[in-house]
Amino acid sequence: MENIFGQKSKLFLIFLSCFSLVLFTLCTLNSHVITQRTSPISSTSIHIHKHIQVANTHCQGTLYPELCVSTLSTFPDLHKKSIPEVISALVNVTTVEVRACAANATGLRRRLKKLDLIDRRALDDCLELFSDTVAELKIILSELGKNTSAEKNYLDFQTLLSAAMTNQYTCLDGFAYSKNNTRRFIQGRLKKISKHVSNSLAMLKKIKKKKEKGSRNNEVFDEYGSMKNSFPVWLKKKDRALLQAPANQTKFNLVVAKDGSGNFTTINEALSAAPNNSNTRFVIYIKGGAYYEYIEVERKKSMIMFVGDGIGKTLIKGNRSVVDGWTTFRSSTVAVVGNGFIAKGITFENYAGPSKHQAVALRSGSDFSAFYQCSFVGYQDTLYVHSLRQFYRECDIYGTVDFIFGNAAVVFQNSNLYARKPNDNQRNIYTAQGREDPNQNTGISILNCKVAAAADLIPVQSSFRTYLGRPWKQYSRTVFLLSNIGDLVEPAGWMEWNGTFALDTLYYGEYRNRGPGSNTTARVSWPGYRVINSSTEASQFTVANFIQGNQWLPATGIPFYSNLTAV
């Protein structure tokens, strides 16, 4: 037995030695292979690390840095790209995602057979808004692709990106009264798109810093995105004569008259006959009378001008409302999207009444749109200043709840804001501004206006509370400058939207107003509210600075002053 065990032990030792030798050889070979591969992997790792470092640098200051870095990290040769090139690449990614979202919404509308009316209309709104967004982003891509100075185009890029973001939130707002929660199918993608746009806006600030070292921005886009040296192409000098001369002494392209004395009896017929993408102003004279029509001046209908016989004489009337199944966006009696729209001497009205809630008289998403001696009559949500740059001069606006609202960059000058008698359970609020992002260049500026009670409110004024505004969105921004504020305005001045929402992120300001309602001693103490004491701060919201009006308003013939006062 001992010999047998001794022989087995020797065999086992020999086997163990051989196995160890084989294992050592394999480990040595493996180590050699690993050594051979170490150098390339380390180089790649260093490259990736540097790539991410560059992405992190570009993304500094953005509100959504993780998304920013993960997106920029996919761009090839990122370290070789300038800031405008990085923004262009990001805008291109955003455009692709908007188109994908539009395809998804189209398929969703087709697949969900049992969608109720409000859902179908909300999806239709989204599809229009996606189309607008793509058009706005394409202008940016076109200009950035020309290798021109991005610094001097900064304000135009900021305006277009601000509008692109607004479009996404407007789409989502359309589902506010949906019973099927259809919004859940698209909101993830839309919020991602909005974050991309937000990041582009934040990076744009780096271009602004360069611009501030150089010359003043003296150029603006025409309707195709091309740059002009002076005024936009749609605002010719002859527009001055169109606005200053009496209607019966002016030559028009088309005339609308209910009595048959013009080219057409309806405004929509005349608008359909107007050329698309015109390079010259197309003027439609609308003779006195009440026109019960729903008008949409589409994007392709640029350079349109409506001239009426005056406030209360030429009226365009409708009564769509949210209560009757329309989205707020689609409830407007008149909607203008085509750039450079001008209106003079017309009343835009939504007569749905205070019980029908949101019911828009006019919605404008037209860049460089101007309204002169017009009135806007409604109750809740009368005037929807949706997006882009707008100007209102010597206009009358009537309403109850949030009756001037939206997210345009807009200036009201020498106009009258009249609060009407609301329902018994309602309060009057003049404004509800919808800025979603601190880098958007949007807000409502009310300069040298009259803030008062309408005739139907005066006898019962003490029965209702009236406020200057409330924050519809997180970074709501509204200012009242050098205006006459009536005694109907509550001493607190401003009203919460919902608890403490936006009270520390909003920007609400009052500057040297007058009248019994202008006393600021009992105003709200929110972190975002301020009494503006500096003319420099107040001047941010003038025609010249806020909507670049010096570049496009002179050619319209509409009177205006660039700064805080006419002096």
Side-chain angles (χ1 to χ4, degrees), residues 2 52-53 87 117 130 270-271 344 353 375 393 468 533 549 559:
E2 289 180 3
I52 293 174
Q53 275 188 323
I87 293 173
L117 186 60
F130 295 155
L271 189 59
K344 177 196 175 185
S375 69
R393 169 80 181 207
L468 296 174
N533 295 311

Side-chain angles (χ1 to χ4, degrees), residues 134-153:
V134 169
E136 287 153 359
L137 296 180
K138 282 176 67 178
I139 293 173
I140 296 173
L141 289 172
S142 174
E143 289 305 315
L144 288 172
K146 292 177 182 178
N147 295 318
T148 54
S149 173
E151 289 85 0
K152 65 183 178 182
N153 302 345

Side-chain angles (χ1 to χ4, degrees), residues 323-458:
V323 170
D324 288 335
W326 299 90
T327 62
T328 302
F329 184 80
R330 196 62 60 184
S331 71
S332 56
T333 302
V334 176
V336 290
V337 181
N339 284 341
F341 179 84
I342 301 175
K344 177 196 175 185
I346 296 175
T347 291
F348 302 90
E349 183 175 354
N350 190 315
Y351 59 91
S355 299
K356 292 300 180 76
H357 300 295
Q358 295 94 328
V360 176
L362 180 129
R363 164 172 53 86
S364 178
S366 165
D367 204 11
F368 303 112
S369 54
F371 299 83
Y372 179 45
Q373 295 180 346
C374 291
S375 69
F376 308 88
V377 182
Y379 288 90
Q380 182 170 347
D381 290 4
T382 302
L383 179 56
Y384 195 173
V385 289
H386 180 262
S387 56
L388 301 166
R389 288 165 284 200
Q390 308 179 23
F391 180 65
Y392 296 75
R393 169 80 181 207
E394 296 173 33
C395 291
D396 299 332
I397 305 99
Y398 295 85
T400 54
V401 181
D402 306 333
F403 63 94
I404 300 172
F405 77 110
N407 197 28
V410 56
V411 176
F412 294 87
Q413 195 176 87
N414 292 26
S415 295
N416 302 307
L417 283 54
Y418 293 114
R420 304 179 75 179
K421 179 185 176 183
N423 282 343
D424 290 341
N425 61 341
Q426 292 180 325
R427 300 176 183 181
N428 285 326
I429 304 107
Y430 282 95
T431 66
Q433 205 282 325
R435 193 168 63 140
E436 291 274 3
D437 189 284
N439 293 315
Q440 288 180 304
N441 63 345
T442 54
I444 296 172
S445 174
I446 296 167
L447 175 59
N448 194 31
C449 292
K450 178 182 178 183
V451 180
D456 63 342
L457 179 62
I458 291 173

Side-chain angles (χ1 to χ4, degrees), residues 514-561:
R514 58 195 184 278
S518 65
N519 190 329
T520 59
T521 56
R523 286 294 196 253
V524 293
S525 57
W526 306 338
Y529 170 77
R530 74 261 287 123
V531 175
I532 300 173
N533 295 311
S534 163
S535 61
T536 301
E537 183 176 356
S539 292
Q540 297 176 70
F541 305 101
T542 59
V543 164
N545 294 327
F546 201 49
I547 58 173
Q548 297 82 59
N550 286 358
Q551 299 171 32
W552 58 280
L553 281 172
T556 68
I558 296 176
F560 75 98
Y561 44 89

Side-chain angles (χ1 to χ4, degrees), residues 7 70 89 311 342 355 426 461 464 538:
Q7 289 176 356
S70 66
I311 290 174
I342 301 175
S355 299
Q426 292 180 325
Q461 180 176 304
F464 299 94

Side-chain angles (χ1 to χ4, degrees), residues 282-297:
F282 194 88
V283 185
I284 300 173
Y285 170 39
I286 307 169
K287 286 188 176 182
Y291 297 82
Y292 290 84
E293 300 184 55
Y294 295 99
I295 312 294
E296 184 166 1
V297 182

